[in-house]
PDB file of all heavy atoms in Angstrom:
ATOM      1  N   ALA A 139      77.916  90.023  80.061  1.00 65.00           N
ATOM      2  CA  ALA A 139      77.389  89.385  81.188  1.00 65.00           C
ATOM      3  C   ALA A 139      76.252  90.119  81.847  1.00 65.00           C
ATOM      4  O   ALA A 139      75.290  89.533  82.290  1.00 65.00           O
ATOM      5  CB  ALA A 139      78.519  89.172  82.259  1.00 65.00           C
ATOM      6  N   TYR A 140      76.375  91.436  81.893  1.00 67.00           N
ATOM      7  CA  TYR A 140      75.299  92.288  82.428  1.00 67.00           C
ATOM      8  C   TYR A 140      74.048  92.182  81.563  1.00 67.00           C
ATOM      9  O   TYR A 140      72.943  92.076  82.103  1.00 67.00           O
ATOM     10  CB  TYR A 140      75.736  93.726  82.495  1.00 67.00           C
ATOM     11  CG  TYR A 140      74.731  94.700  82.977  1.00 67.00           C
ATOM     12  CD1 TYR A 140      74.383  94.783  84.319  1.00 67.00           C
ATOM     13  CD2 TYR A 140      74.040  95.539  82.069  1.00 67.00           C
ATOM     14  CE1 TYR A 140      73.368  95.602  84.814  1.00 67.00           C
ATOM     15  CE2 TYR A 140      73.067  96.395  82.561  1.00 67.00           C
ATOM     16  CZ  TYR A 140      72.759  96.505  83.916  1.00 67.00           C
ATOM     17  OH  TYR A 140      71.783  97.346  84.307  1.00 67.00           O
ATOM     18  N   ARG A 141      74.177  92.172  80.248  1.00 70.00           N
ATOM     19  CA  ARG A 141      73.016  92.073  79.383  1.00 70.00           C
ATOM     20  C   ARG A 141      72.345  90.702  79.562  1.00 70.00           C
ATOM     21  O   ARG A 141      71.148  90.640  79.561  1.00 70.00           O
ATOM     22  CB  ARG A 141      73.421  92.315  77.941  1.00 70.00           C
ATOM     23  CG  ARG A 141      73.822  93.725  77.629  1.00 70.00           C
ATOM     24  CD  ARG A 141      74.277  93.922  76.257  1.00 70.00           C
ATOM     25  NE  ARG A 141      74.583  95.281  75.947  1.00 70.00           N
ATOM     26  CZ  ARG A 141      75.236  95.723  74.867  1.00 70.00           C
ATOM     27  NH1 ARG A 141      75.581  94.818  73.988  1.00 70.00           N
ATOM     28  NH2 ARG A 141      75.483  97.001  74.648  1.00 70.00           N
ATOM     29  N   THR A 142      73.168  89.706  79.719  1.00 72.00           N
ATOM     30  CA  THR A 142      72.554  88.343  79.900  1.00 72.00           C
ATOM     31  C   THR A 142      71.831  88.260  81.206  1.00 72.00           C
ATOM     32  O   THR A 142      70.696  87.694  81.227  1.00 72.00           O
ATOM     33  CB  THR A 142      73.728  87.299  79.814  1.00 72.00           C
ATOM     34  OG1 THR A 142      74.454  87.443  78.627  1.00 72.00           O
ATOM     35  CG2 THR A 142      73.175  85.931  79.957  1.00 72.00           C
ATOM     36  N   MET A 143      72.368  88.861  82.274  1.00 72.00           N
ATOM     37  CA  MET A 143      71.673  88.809  83.490  1.00 72.00           C
ATOM     38  C   MET A 143      70.379  89.593  83.473  1.00 72.00           C
ATOM     39  O   MET A 143      69.362  89.139  83.988  1.00 72.00           O
ATOM     40  CB  MET A 143      72.598  89.432  84.575  1.00 72.00           C
ATOM     41  CG  MET A 143      72.003  89.423  86.003  1.00 72.00           C
ATOM     42  SD  MET A 143      73.146  90.181  87.171  1.00 72.00           S
ATOM     43  CE  MET A 143      73.087  91.876  86.585  1.00 72.00           C
ATOM     44  N   GLN A 144      70.377  90.781  82.777  1.00 73.00           N
ATOM     45  CA  GLN A 144      69.172  91.562  82.661  1.00 73.00           C
ATOM     46  C   GLN A 144      68.116  90.834  81.804  1.00 73.00           C
ATOM     47  O   GLN A 144      66.917  90.872  82.144  1.00 73.00           O
ATOM     48  CB  GLN A 144      69.510  92.895  81.982  1.00 73.00           C
ATOM     49  CG  GLN A 144      70.288  93.800  82.887  1.00 73.00           C
ATOM     50  CD  GLN A 144      69.478  94.285  84.068  1.00 73.00           C
ATOM     51  OE1 GLN A 144      69.699  93.940  85.202  1.00 73.00           O
ATOM     52  NE2 GLN A 144      68.513  95.202  83.808  1.00 73.00           N
ATOM     53  N   LYS A 145      68.571  90.079  80.802  1.00 74.00           N
ATOM     54  CA  LYS A 145      67.657  89.381  79.930  1.00 74.00           C
ATOM     55  C   LYS A 145      66.991  88.231  80.757  1.00 74.00           C
ATOM     56  O   LYS A 145      65.808  88.016  80.643  1.00 74.00           O
ATOM     57  CB  LYS A 145      68.392  88.817  78.718  1.00 74.00           C
ATOM     58  CG  LYS A 145      67.497  88.127  77.729  1.00 74.00           C
ATOM     59  CD  LYS A 145      68.274  87.678  76.534  1.00 74.00           C
ATOM     60  CE  LYS A 145      67.420  86.949  75.472  1.00 74.00           C
ATOM     61  NZ  LYS A 145      68.205  86.534  74.341  1.00 74.00           N
ATOM     62  N   ARG A 146      67.770  87.509  81.527  1.00 71.00           N
ATOM     63  CA  ARG A 146      67.244  86.369  82.318  1.00 71.00           C
ATOM     64  C   ARG A 146      66.284  86.925  83.384  1.00 71.00           C
ATOM     65  O   ARG A 146      65.221  86.318  83.615  1.00 71.00           O
ATOM     66  CB  ARG A 146      68.372  85.643  83.009  1.00 71.00           C
ATOM     67  CG  ARG A 146      69.236  84.808  82.001  1.00 71.00           C
ATOM     68  CD  ARG A 146      70.307  84.096  82.690  1.00 71.00           C
ATOM     69  NE  ARG A 146      71.213  83.371  81.730  1.00 71.00           N
ATOM     70  CZ  ARG A 146      72.266  82.630  82.088  1.00 71.00           C
ATOM     71  NH1 ARG A 146      72.636  82.684  83.358  1.00 71.00           N
ATOM     72  NH2 ARG A 146      72.936  81.983  81.201  1.00 71.00           N
ATOM     73  N   ARG A 147      66.630  88.019  83.949  1.00 70.00           N
ATOM     74  CA  ARG A 147      65.718  88.635  84.981  1.00 70.00           C
ATOM     75  C   ARG A 147      64.374  89.053  84.366  1.00 70.00           C
ATOM     76  O   ARG A 147      63.324  88.860  84.946  1.00 70.00           O
ATOM     77  CB  ARG A 147      66.428  89.814  85.653  1.00 70.00           C
ATOM     78  CG  ARG A 147      65.614  90.462  86.800  1.00 70.00           C
ATOM     79  CD  ARG A 147      66.374  91.602  87.405  1.00 70.00           C
ATOM     80  NE  ARG A 147      67.588  91.122  88.074  1.00 70.00           N
ATOM     81  CZ  ARG A 147      68.468  91.969  88.579  1.00 70.00           C
ATOM     82  NH1 ARG A 147      68.280  93.300  88.570  1.00 70.00           N
ATOM     83  NH2 ARG A 147      69.556  91.504  89.174  1.00 70.00           N
ATOM     84  N   GLN A 148      64.529  89.646  83.172  1.00 72.00           N
ATOM     85  CA  GLN A 148      63.242  90.097  82.525  1.00 72.00           C
ATOM     86  C   GLN A 148      62.390  88.840  82.108  1.00 72.00           C
ATOM     87  O   GLN A 148      61.181  88.893  82.153  1.00 72.00           O
ATOM     88  CB  GLN A 148      63.608  90.902  81.271  1.00 72.00           C
ATOM     89  CG  GLN A 148      62.430  91.570  80.600  1.00 72.00           C
ATOM     90  CD  GLN A 148      61.765  92.572  81.533  1.00 72.00           C
ATOM     91  OE1 GLN A 148      62.403  93.271  82.226  1.00 72.00           O
ATOM     92  NE2 GLN A 148      60.400  92.686  81.402  1.00 72.00           N
ATOM     93  N   GLU A 149      63.076  87.799  81.663  1.00 71.00           N
ATOM     94  CA  GLU A 149      62.349  86.566  81.367  1.00 71.00           C
ATOM     95  C   GLU A 149      61.651  85.990  82.581  1.00 71.00           C
ATOM     96  O   GLU A 149      60.470  85.519  82.475  1.00 71.00           O
ATOM     97  CB  GLU A 149      63.296  85.501  80.758  1.00 71.00           C
ATOM     98  CG  GLU A 149      63.800  85.886  79.389  1.00 71.00           C
ATOM     99  CD  GLU A 149      64.828  84.865  78.863  1.00 71.00           C
ATOM    100  OE1 GLU A 149      65.178  83.952  79.632  1.00 71.00           O
ATOM    101  OE2 GLU A 149      65.230  85.029  77.696  1.00 71.00           O
ATOM    102  N   LEU A 150      62.318  86.092  83.744  1.00 66.00           N
ATOM    103  CA  LEU A 150      61.673  85.552  84.980  1.00 66.00           C
ATOM    104  C   LEU A 150      60.416  86.422  85.320  1.00 66.00           C
ATOM    105  O   LEU A 150      59.358  85.916  85.745  1.00 66.00           O
ATOM    106  CB  LEU A 150      62.650  85.576  86.150  1.00 66.00           C
ATOM    107  CG  LEU A 150      63.767  84.519  86.050  1.00 66.00           C
ATOM    108  CD1 LEU A 150      64.753  84.750  87.178  1.00 66.00           C
ATOM    109  CD2 LEU A 150      63.181  83.102  86.171  1.00 66.00           C
ATOM    110  N   TYR A 151      60.576  87.750  85.204  1.00 64.00           N
ATOM    111  CA  TYR A 151      59.411  88.626  85.453  1.00 64.00           C
ATOM    112  C   TYR A 151      58.301  88.390  84.458  1.00 64.00           C
ATOM    113  O   TYR A 151      57.102  88.365  84.866  1.00 64.00           O
ATOM    114  CB  TYR A 151      59.862  90.095  85.350  1.00 64.00           C
ATOM    115  CG  TYR A 151      60.737  90.549  86.542  1.00 64.00           C
ATOM    116  CD1 TYR A 151      61.645  91.583  86.366  1.00 64.00           C
ATOM    117  CD2 TYR A 151      60.681  89.911  87.740  1.00 64.00           C
ATOM    118  CE1 TYR A 151      62.475  91.953  87.417  1.00 64.00           C
ATOM    119  CE2 TYR A 151      61.463  90.306  88.794  1.00 64.00           C
ATOM    120  CZ  TYR A 151      62.352  91.359  88.623  1.00 64.00           C
ATOM    121  OH  TYR A 151      63.130  91.727  89.678  1.00 64.00           O
ATOM    122  N   ASP A 152      58.633  88.157  83.223  1.00 67.00           N
ATOM    123  CA  ASP A 152      57.567  87.981  82.159  1.00 67.00           C
ATOM    124  C   ASP A 152      56.908  86.649  82.373  1.00 67.00           C
ATOM    125  O   ASP A 152      55.661  86.510  82.149  1.00 67.00           O
ATOM    126  CB  ASP A 152      58.173  88.033  80.749  1.00 67.00           C
ATOM    127  CG  ASP A 152      58.692  89.473  80.471  1.00 67.00           C
ATOM    128  OD1 ASP A 152      58.268  90.441  81.107  1.00 67.00           O
ATOM    129  OD2 ASP A 152      59.577  89.533  79.558  1.00 67.00           O
ATOM    130  N   SER A 153      57.619  85.583  82.776  1.00 65.00           N
ATOM    131  CA  SER A 153      57.007  84.341  83.015  1.00 65.00           C
ATOM    132  C   SER A 153      56.212  84.196  84.260  1.00 65.00           C
ATOM    133  O   SER A 153      55.462  83.215  84.417  1.00 65.00           O
ATOM    134  CB  SER A 153      58.076  83.215  83.006  1.00 65.00           C
ATOM    135  OG  SER A 153      59.001  83.452  84.086  1.00 65.00           O
ATOM    136  N   GLY A 154      56.348  85.153  85.176  1.00 59.00           N
ATOM    137  CA  GLY A 154      55.561  85.080  86.450  1.00 59.00           C
ATOM    138  C   GLY A 154      56.276  84.385  87.533  1.00 59.00           C
ATOM    139  O   GLY A 154      55.719  84.248  88.659  1.00 59.00           O
ATOM    140  N   ALA A 155      57.503  83.924  87.318  1.00 53.00           N
ATOM    141  CA  ALA A 155      58.231  83.201  88.361  1.00 53.00           C
ATOM    142  C   ALA A 155      58.581  84.155  89.505  1.00 53.00           C
ATOM    143  O   ALA A 155      58.717  83.696  90.621  1.00 53.00           O
ATOM    144  CB  ALA A 155      59.444  82.547  87.773  1.00 53.00           C
ATOM    145  N   VAL A 156      58.794  85.424  89.153  1.00 52.00           N
ATOM    146  CA  VAL A 156      59.174  86.399  90.216  1.00 52.00           C
ATOM    147  C   VAL A 156      58.096  87.456  90.139  1.00 52.00           C
ATOM    148  O   VAL A 156      57.807  88.073  89.111  1.00 52.00           O
ATOM    149  CB  VAL A 156      60.547  87.020  89.885  1.00 52.00           C
ATOM    150  CG1 VAL A 156      60.859  88.087  90.914  1.00 52.00           C
ATOM    151  CG2 VAL A 156      61.610  85.894  89.896  1.00 52.00           C
ATOM    152  N   ASP A 157      57.422  87.706  91.273  1.00 57.00           N
ATOM    153  CA  ASP A 157      56.418  88.710  91.388  1.00 57.00           C
ATOM    154  C   ASP A 157      56.898  89.910  92.160  1.00 57.00           C
ATOM    155  O   ASP A 157      57.451  89.827  93.247  1.00 57.00           O
ATOM    156  CB  ASP A 157      55.199  88.097  92.112  1.00 57.00           C
ATOM    157  CG  ASP A 157      53.984  89.012  92.054  1.00 57.00           C
ATOM    158  OD1 ASP A 157      54.077  90.084  91.410  1.00 57.00           O
ATOM    159  OD2 ASP A 157      52.950  88.671  92.676  1.00 57.00           O
ATOM    160  N   ASP A 158      56.764  91.115  91.501  1.00 61.00           N
ATOM    161  CA  ASP A 158      57.276  92.311  92.147  1.00 61.00           C
ATOM    162  C   ASP A 158      56.552  92.636  93.391  1.00 61.00           C
ATOM    163  O   ASP A 158      57.163  93.074  94.414  1.00 61.00           O
ATOM    164  CB  ASP A 158      57.213  93.472  91.143  1.00 61.00           C
ATOM    165  CG  ASP A 158      58.220  93.324  90.080  1.00 61.00           C
ATOM    166  OD1 ASP A 158      59.172  92.638  90.240  1.00 61.00           O
ATOM    167  OD2 ASP A 158      58.000  93.987  89.000  1.00 61.00           O
ATOM    168  N   SER A 159      55.221  92.434  93.417  1.00 66.00           N
ATOM    169  CA  SER A 159      54.460  92.787  94.603  1.00 66.00           C
ATOM    170  C   SER A 159      54.858  91.857  95.730  1.00 66.00           C
ATOM    171  O   SER A 159      54.972  92.357  96.920  1.00 66.00           O
ATOM    172  CB  SER A 159      52.985  92.597  94.250  1.00 66.00           C
ATOM    173  OG  SER A 159      52.619  91.245  93.908  1.00 66.00           O
ATOM    174  N   ARG A 160      55.052  90.588  95.461  1.00 70.00           N
ATOM    175  CA  ARG A 160      55.482  89.700  96.521  1.00 70.00           C
ATOM    176  C   ARG A 160      56.910  90.070  97.045  1.00 70.00           C
ATOM    177  O   ARG A 160      57.177  90.042  98.270  1.00 70.00           O
ATOM    178  CB  ARG A 160      55.513  88.262  96.024  1.00 70.00           C
ATOM    179  CG  ARG A 160      55.863  87.213  97.058  1.00 70.00           C
ATOM    180  CD  ARG A 160      55.810  85.843  96.416  1.00 70.00           C
ATOM    181  NE  ARG A 160      56.133  84.822  97.449  1.00 70.00           N
ATOM    182  CZ  ARG A 160      56.240  83.529  97.176  1.00 70.00           C
ATOM    183  NH1 ARG A 160      55.934  83.116  95.937  1.00 70.00           N
ATOM    184  NH2 ARG A 160      56.544  82.683  98.129  1.00 70.00           N
ATOM    185  N   LYS A 161      57.743  90.504  96.132  1.00 72.00           N
ATOM    186  CA  LYS A 161      59.086  90.923  96.584  1.00 72.00           C
ATOM    187  C   LYS A 161      59.020  92.124  97.436  1.00 72.00           C
ATOM    188  O   LYS A 161      59.737  92.237  98.504  1.00 72.00           O
ATOM    189  CB  LYS A 161      59.929  91.180  95.329  1.00 72.00           C
ATOM    190  CG  LYS A 161      61.358  91.574  95.629  1.00 72.00           C
ATOM    191  CD  LYS A 161      62.102  91.792  94.284  1.00 72.00           C
ATOM    192  CE  LYS A 161      63.559  92.209  94.595  1.00 72.00           C
ATOM    193  NZ  LYS A 161      64.327  92.458  93.330  1.00 72.00           N
ATOM    194  N   ASP A 162      58.151  93.098  97.083  1.00 78.00           N
ATOM    195  CA  ASP A 162      57.970  94.311  97.889  1.00 78.00           C
ATOM    196  C   ASP A 162      57.379  93.978  99.288  1.00 78.00           C
ATOM    197  O   ASP A 162      57.763  94.569 100.294  1.00 78.00           O
ATOM    198  CB  ASP A 162      57.030  95.299  97.222  1.00 78.00           C
ATOM    199  CG  ASP A 162      57.656  95.861  95.923  1.00 78.00           C
ATOM    200  OD1 ASP A 162      58.845  95.809  95.787  1.00 78.00           O
ATOM    201  OD2 ASP A 162      56.889  96.262  94.991  1.00 78.00           O
ATOM    202  N   LYS A 163      56.485  92.985  99.287  1.00 82.00           N
ATOM    203  CA  LYS A 163      55.906  92.640 100.599  1.00 82.00           C
ATOM    204  C   LYS A 163      56.988  91.970 101.521  1.00 82.00           C
ATOM    205  O   LYS A 163      57.049  92.240 102.730  1.00 82.00           O
ATOM    206  CB  LYS A 163      54.746  91.622 100.390  1.00 82.00           C
ATOM    207  CG  LYS A 163      53.521  92.238  99.753  1.00 82.00           C
ATOM    208  CD  LYS A 163      52.426  91.181  99.589  1.00 82.00           C
ATOM    209  CE  LYS A 163      51.188  91.812  98.921  1.00 82.00           C
ATOM    210  NZ  LYS A 163      50.124  90.803  98.709  1.00 82.00           N
ATOM    211  N   LEU A 164      57.835  91.103 100.926  1.00 84.00           N
ATOM    212  CA  LEU A 164      58.890  90.530 101.698  1.00 84.00           C
ATOM    213  C   LEU A 164      59.849  91.559 102.230  1.00 84.00           C
ATOM    214  O   LEU A 164      60.314  91.476 103.389  1.00 84.00           O
ATOM    215  CB  LEU A 164      59.654  89.515 100.817  1.00 84.00           C
ATOM    216  CG  LEU A 164      58.868  88.265 100.392  1.00 84.00           C
ATOM    217  CD1 LEU A 164      59.687  87.361  99.475  1.00 84.00           C
ATOM    218  CD2 LEU A 164      58.464  87.428 101.690  1.00 84.00           C
TER     219      LEU A 164
END
Side-chain angles (χ1 to χ4, degrees):
Y140 176 75
R141 288 175 180 171
T142 304
M143 182 182 66
Q144 290 292 107
K145 185 177 179 181
R146 290 179 180 177
R147 184 179 295 177
Q148 189 63 36
E149 290 177 354
L150 290 173
Y151 288 152
D152 295 338
S153 63
V156 177
D157 190 2
D158 288 339
S159 60
R160 184 178 179 183
K161 184 178 179 181
D162 295 337
K163 290 179 181 178
L164 291 175

